[in-house]
């Protein structure tokens, strides 16, 4: 479990440092913002890396899986660099600390609660599908009411998923503890990816609430 949180923290650090570097490189940031092919290419690369890791991790060697996770963290940092154009540095930092506190509390709840969160997790994933659909619809409607509704629902969904994924991590690591160190490490890496995604998405929704737009 300690490796899960260490790898997640390392991935977040790589994402944050990459985003900060790109945001302070005017030529690179300008290229990302003005070149739609490059921007959407990065988005597609992110989805591809997550899908490959999720579906094929048990068939990869652990070093390859680790490199793919690192690559995903860096690419995600490149795309997230655009938030520095929209929000002030202070509000980004505030949103990060609020996210860290919320994530920590929900992860501890998932780690120590004796309640089975499987049913809650399934409900949250259904809510997530509805959230994605509503977000896509609002791209065309541009409704501020729907936008704020999806923001607060997003905070609820990813806070709940943090607790659920933490509990699932504990169960998976217990089930795979006798299958060999290599398999156990790969499961731990997959769990760290899940928690990393929960943190990033929760942060983005928190930023919409607490962020001070430029």
């Amino acid at each position: 479990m300690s490796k899960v949180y260490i790898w997640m923290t390392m991935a977040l650090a790589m994402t944050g440092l990459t985003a900060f570097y790109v945001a302070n490189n005017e030529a690179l940031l300008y290229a990302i913002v003005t070149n739609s092919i490059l921007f959407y290419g990065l988005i597609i690369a992110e989805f591809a890396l997550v899908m490959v890791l999720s579906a094929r991790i048990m068939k990869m060697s652990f070093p390859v899986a680790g490199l793919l996770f690192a690559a995903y963290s860096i690419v995600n940092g490149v795309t997230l660099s655009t938030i520095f154009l929209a929000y002030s540095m202070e509000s980004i930092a505030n949103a990060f600390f609020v996210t860290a506190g919320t994530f920590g509390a929900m992860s501890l709840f998932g780690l120590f609660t004796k309640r089975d969160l499987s049913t809650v997790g399934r409900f949250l994933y259904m809510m997530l599908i509805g959230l994605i659909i509503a977000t896509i619809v609002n791209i065309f409607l541009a409704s501020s009411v729907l936008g704020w509704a999806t923001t607060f629902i997003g905070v609820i969904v990813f806070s709940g998923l943090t607790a659920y994924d933490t509990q699932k991590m504990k169960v998976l690591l217990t089930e795979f503890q006798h299958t060999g160190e290599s398999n156990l490490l790969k499961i731990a890496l997959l769990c760290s990816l899940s928690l990393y995604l929960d943190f990033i998405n929760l942060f983005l929704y928190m930023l919409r609430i607490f962020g001070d737009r430029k």
Side-chain angles (χ1 to χ4, degrees), residues 45-46 48-50 52-54 56-57 60-75 189 193:
E46 287 186 78
L49 285 168
V50 169
V52 169
L53 264 175
S54 301
R56 307 283 297 177
I57 191 168
M60 301 175 187
S61 66
F62 177 72
V64 170
L67 285 173
L68 287 178
F69 188 19
Y72 173 75
S73 303
I74 292 170
V75 173
L189 188 67
L193 173 63

Side-chain angles (χ1 to χ4, degrees), residues 96-163:
F96 176 83
F97 286 118
V98 172
T99 302
T102 304
F103 178 91
M106 296 307 296
S107 192
L108 284 172
F109 174 76
L111 200 60
F112 293 109
T113 185
K114 295 182 180 180
R115 180 183 177 185
D116 184 4
L117 300 178
S118 300
T119 303
V120 176
R122 287 192 291 269
F123 176 71
L124 288 170
Y125 276 113
M126 287 190 291
M127 285 185 66
L128 178 58
I129 293 171
L131 179 64
I132 293 170
I133 294 171
T135 302
I136 293 172
V137 169
N138 201 39
I139 292 174
F140 302 99
L141 295 179
S143 167
S144 60
V145 175
L146 182 57
W148 279 111
T150 57
T151 297
F152 286 106
I153 292 171
V155 169
I156 294 170
V157 167
F158 285 103
S159 295
L161 284 177
T162 297

Side-chain angles (χ1 to χ4, degrees), residues 80-103:
L80 287 179
S81 63
T82 56
I83 67 174
F84 288 93
L85 292 175
Y87 298 96
S88 67
M89 180 71 75
E90 183 181 357
S91 66
I92 291 173
N94 289 338
F96 176 83
F97 286 118
V98 172
T99 302
T102 304
F103 178 91

Side-chain angles (χ1 to χ4, degrees), residues 8-25 28-29 32 70-84 89 92 96 196 199-200 203:
M8 186 201 79
T9 303
M10 290 173 62
L12 288 171
M14 284 190 285
T15 298
L17 290 172
T18 302
F20 187 76
Y21 172 77
V22 174
N24 285 278
N25 186 318
L28 190 53
L29 187 60
I32 294 168
Y72 173 75
S73 303
I74 292 170
V75 173
N76 197 31
V78 174
T79 57
L80 287 179
S81 63
T82 56
I83 67 174
F84 288 93
M89 180 71 75
I92 291 173
F96 176 83
Y196 168 90
F199 189 101
I200 290 293
F203 166 71

